[in-house]
Amino acid sequence: MGALRIPSTTGGEKAKALVESVDTEAACALLASGQYGYIDVRMWEDFDAGHVAGARNVPYYLSVAPRGKPERNPHFVEQVAALHAKGDRLLVGCRQGVRSSLAAADLVHAGFKNVKNLQGGYLSLLKSANPQPTAYYNQY
């Protein structure tokens, strides 16, 4: 587990917010506890192709051009706030964990108190659920 430090400026003061990143084992335990909601910040088509059971989809980006700058969802924080109170426990995930760390930082800066980032994203969950089979060696 690690933490992402995000510098911010509020009222001229620099502050640092911590967003804790959790590995797949910890994430599965948090979700199994029933105490954490899962926010999937991938785009709709990615979410529709597969997602964590019970996940709520709030895209952080509206579009991603192959060589251009992604178009950020200007209503991301408000859309999450429509689904969850700022005191709710949230686990934020994306495909690989990069976008979700940015999204989690935005939520913390907006006043959400219990936000964790899924390190490695949805792909890490898939990999942990379906690890590559080990090679079978015929002993005969």
Side-chain angles (χ1 to χ4, degrees):
M1 290 187 282
L4 174 67
R5 291 191 181 274
I6 297 93
S8 68
T9 55
T10 306
E13 293 181 351
K14 272 196 161 189
K16 289 191 178 182
L18 288 176
V19 176
E20 183 180 356
S21 288
V22 296
D23 62 17
T24 55
E25 185 178 337
C28 288
L30 293 173
L31 293 172
S33 75
Q35 295 181 9
Y36 276 77
Y38 188 88
I39 300 292
D40 189 320
V41 298
R42 296 176 298 155
M43 290 187 286
W44 296 287
E45 58 271 14
D46 297 324
F47 181 81
D48 288 343
H51 55 270
V52 172
R56 304 297 294 267
N57 183 224
V58 183
Y60 188 69
Y61 293 128
L62 298 177
S63 67
V64 178
R67 294 185 188 173
K69 187 176 180 181
E71 180 187 357
R72 198 172 156 275
N73 178 356
H75 306 291
F76 172 74
V77 171
E78 292 83 11
Q79 290 171 344
V80 173
L83 299 171
H84 293 282
K86 291 187 176 183
D88 288 355
R89 295 174 177 160
L90 300 175
L91 180 61
V92 182
C94 62
R95 185 173 188 268
Q96 295 180 329
V98 176
R99 185 177 1 177
S100 58
S101 67
L102 298 171
D106 281 2
L107 293 174
V108 168
H109 285 290
F112 285 81
K113 305 292 182 206
N114 301 303
V115 179
K116 296 183 188 304
N117 174 54
L118 172 58
Q119 184 178 10
Y122 182 66
L123 291 180
S124 68
L125 287 175
L126 290 178
K127 187 176 179 182
S128 71
N130 271 326
Q132 293 293 334
T134 56
Y136 175 76
Y137 295 99
N138 190 346
Q139 297 178 355
Y140 300 110

